[in-house]
Amino acid sequence: SDEELAKLKGNEFVPYTEHERFGIAKDRHLFVIQVESLQNFAINQSIGGQELTPNLNELLGDSLYFDRMFQQIGAGNTSDAEWLLHMSLLPKGLDPTVNYLNGTPLPSLVNMLNEQDYYTTTYHADKLEYWNRKELYPSLGFDYAYSSDEIPDEDLIGLWPSDRTMFQFAEGEIREQAASGKKIYANLMTVTSHTPFEVREQDKYLELPEQYVDTYTGNYLQSIRYADEAVGEFIAFLKAEGIYEDSLIVINGDHSGLHGRPMTVNDTDLMGELLGHSYSLKDRFLLPFIIAAPGLFESEVNSNFGGQVDMMPTIMNLMGIEPQAPMVGHNMLQYENNLLAVRYYLPGGSYITGDHMYLGQNARYPERYYDFDTMERIEPDKETIEQKQKNALKILNHSDALLSNFLDEGEEEAETGEES
Ligand code: GP9
């Protein structure tokens, strides 16, 4: 139950609707821009006197910005991020969650918005077959999924049409949808800032210090700066069309970009130079979660600790939508404490509380225990670890059980033609 979940995470239960901001953004359009590989450190960060994300930084003026949201995807990477955002359930871990789906309708954010008469779409300049989105999107319930079938195959950067191409295509559709008087939910997923971070000369907005030029880290920074420019142009479109003032605009990163083998020791050192401290797991795994709501928020920063699983309840709460099914996440405005289990990208048994981070043992490393603020190694506290691990496991099992139930109920419904 929600009461038990709150307790497992270290919070005293508060009913979902009992928040003073419940429904403040009711009936606004919702745009969720999921930026490929965008990590939180990039926000408000400068290099050589130039901002990495000037457009997002400007948007913060109208925003509530959560600056401590932790990555929770499993092997399904971007598609798991879509899952977390739209279901508030944890990913399966070793397998992409989309592989468990067969199009059975699920109690998703999209379906809840459909019931509130929103026209719901998703945009991504790739094939629907990639990450089994052919099953994912019917399950989530989008009215229409725009893919590389419609988004023009032009202005390619790397494998895909550029973010600019995707946004410009979406603008045409959104203009028409807005003119029809419908409330809009559009999920726009960028892809240009995907590894290996290829940016054409004409799209390099940063003049990088010499040591960063043509390095993996430097290319990542250029790539993020390009994505920021493309997002900025889309925001300018919303303003020019008079849509901006009536909208809730969410910006989130799907997962980290700077990690693993492509990063050389030099790349890690360059990150240390940029941040002024050594590049840590926290720098890698914190993703930005920005909610712009012109007229409702003004440069607000919230440092409650959360995960990708908490985005959906936070957005729904502001929009005044009551949940129709249990969620694993919670409204990040409502609770200070959290307990996140991360499958696949951290060793089994790992968890993070926002106060400390425990990493279980794996083939390469023994168990590790960090102060989450300083990321300094601290003495393991066996009792706390055991208790938190037990609770984290309960949350993981609860999430898996919810998914099984949703899938069974959906299938029964399809067989009997009745809503359960
Ligand atoms: C592919 C795109 C990138 O369609 O979403 O996915 P990723 O490799 O980041 O999971």
Side-chain angles (χ1 to χ4, degrees):
S1 69
D2 287 350
E3 283 88 340
E4 279 166 80
L5 257 181
K7 215 165 133 203
L8 288 174
K9 297 175 187 175
N11 294 306
E12 210 154 290
F13 174 69
V14 189
Y16 181 81
T17 51
E18 275 180 32
H19 191 268
E20 70 272 14
R21 279 157 149 182
F22 179 78
I24 59 166
K26 192 165 173 44
D27 289 334
R28 283 195 177 216
H29 300 301
L30 173 65
F31 297 96
V32 178
I33 304 172
Q34 182 166 290
V35 182
E36 173 67 37
S37 306
L38 178 64
Q39 295 174 224
N40 188 59
F41 78 79
I43 307 299
N44 284 327
Q45 183 71 244
S46 291
I47 186 159
Q50 308 145 87
E51 290 173 275
L52 285 183
T53 59
N55 292 289
L56 296 183
N57 297 349
E58 194 187 321
L59 191 67
L60 293 181
D62 284 338
S63 299
L64 164 64
Y65 165 35
F66 292 98
D67 65 353
R68 294 213 311 158
M69 185 186 81
F70 204 86
Q71 174 181 313
Q72 289 183 291
I73 55 155
N77 290 348
T78 300
S79 63
D80 274 347
E82 293 175 72
W83 176 254
L84 280 146
L85 163 72
H86 289 112
M87 288 298 297
S88 187
L89 290 187
L90 299 168
K92 294 296 282 183
L94 287 181
D95 281 327
T97 316
V98 287
N99 290 353
Y100 292 78
L101 308 179
N102 56 11
T104 301
L106 297 170
S108 67
L109 174 63
V110 186
N111 276 322
M112 291 181 208
L113 289 168
N114 286 335
E115 287 194 10
Q116 310 269 326
D117 291 328
Y118 276 75
Y119 184 65
T120 57
T121 53
T122 182
Y123 298 82
H124 189 45
D126 199 1
K127 299 212 171 318
L128 287 176
E129 284 76 14
Y130 200 89
W131 286 132
N132 206 20
R133 287 174 171 122
K134 278 208 144 146
E135 307 293 347
L136 174 67
Y137 292 154
S139 286
L140 297 181
F142 283 107
D143 284 320
Y144 198 80
Y146 294 95
S147 65
S148 52
D149 286 347
E150 292 91 358
I151 298 171
D153 194 21
E154 54 194 46
D155 195 37
L156 300 187
I157 303 184
L159 296 175
W160 300 282
S162 67
D163 291 347
R164 217 171 238 139
T165 306
M166 185 277 288
F167 279 121
Q168 284 171 2
F169 171 81
E171 287 169 13
E173 301 298 310
I174 288 165
R175 189 178 286 117
E176 267 181 37
Q177 292 159 20
S180 77
K182 286 229 168 206
K183 290 184 281 183
I184 299 168
Y185 168 43
N187 180 206
L188 302 116
M189 283 182 291
T190 73
V191 74
T192 299
S193 44
H194 193 280
T195 182
F197 317 127
E198 284 173 41
V199 181
R200 300 167 306 188
E201 279 312 308
Q202 72 259 36
D203 297 322
K204 289 185 176 161
Y205 291 92
L206 294 171
E207 216 164 288
L208 291 174
E210 208 185 330
Q211 65 274 30
Y212 288 82
V213 175
D214 290 336
T215 63
Y216 194 68
T217 293
N219 293 345
Y220 172 80
L221 302 178
Q222 287 286 15
S223 205
I224 288 299
R225 175 66 187 83
Y226 167 84
D228 171 82
E229 195 66 21
V231 172
E233 287 167 10
F234 179 70
I235 303 287
F237 155 81
L238 294 178
K239 287 183 178 168
E241 296 288 320
I243 300 172
Y244 181 73
E245 298 295 327
D246 298 328
S247 300
L248 198 70
I249 302 157
V250 174
I251 314 277
N252 69 296
D254 59 349
H255 52 68
S256 64
L258 283 177
H259 56 250
R261 240 172 256 144
M263 275 190 97
T264 62
V265 172
N266 182 49
D267 285 306
T268 310
D269 288 348
L270 289 172
M271 278 306 293
E273 191 182 324
L274 178 72
L275 300 173
H277 59 254
S278 48
Y279 184 54
S280 70
L281 287 174
K282 184 167 117 178
D283 299 316
R284 169 178 167 182
F285 285 123
L286 285 187
L287 307 173
F289 177 28
I290 299 169
I291 307 179
L296 298 181
F297 301 130
E298 225 184 281
S299 303
E300 184 174 341
V301 181
N302 183 300
S303 296
N304 284 346
F305 181 64
Q308 286 169 291
V309 75
D310 298 312
M311 288 191 290
M312 173 173 164
T314 307
I315 295 167
M316 279 173 56
N317 198 282
L318 292 169
M319 296 184 79
I321 302 171
E322 288 189 47
Q324 290 165 8
M327 296 180 281
V328 168
H330 60 236
N331 173 10
M332 279 171 73
L333 283 170
Q334 210 151 16
Y335 293 116
E336 273 180 27
N337 298 318
N338 216 329
L339 174 62
L340 302 183
V342 175
R343 283 173 161 152
Y344 188 75
Y345 279 104
L346 293 180
S350 303
Y351 70 85
I352 314 104
T353 64
D355 175 59
H356 67 274
M357 174 166 177
Y358 172 78
L359 301 187
Q361 184 181 345
N362 65 9
R364 283 179 70 188
Y365 299 106
E367 63 174 1
R368 287 166 286 166
Y369 198 57
Y370 296 92
D371 176 302
F372 196 70
D373 271 335
T374 61
M375 283 308 281
E376 272 168 24
R377 295 276 285 271
I378 49 177
E379 243 345 91
D381 167 357
K382 294 278 175 221
E383 222 172 283
T384 309
I385 293 170
E386 262 174 40
Q387 189 54 52
K388 296 283 179 199
Q389 278 185 314
K390 244 192 236 164
N391 291 355
L393 188 63
K394 278 188 192 165
I395 296 172
L396 283 169
N397 290 339
H398 176 58
S399 180
D400 289 346
L402 285 175
L403 174 57
S404 301
N405 285 346
F406 293 156
L407 290 174
D408 289 349
E409 279 170 17
E411 265 163 33
E412 266 170 40
E413 226 174 84
E415 274 166 27
T416 59
E418 278 170 23
E419 284 194 28
S420 50

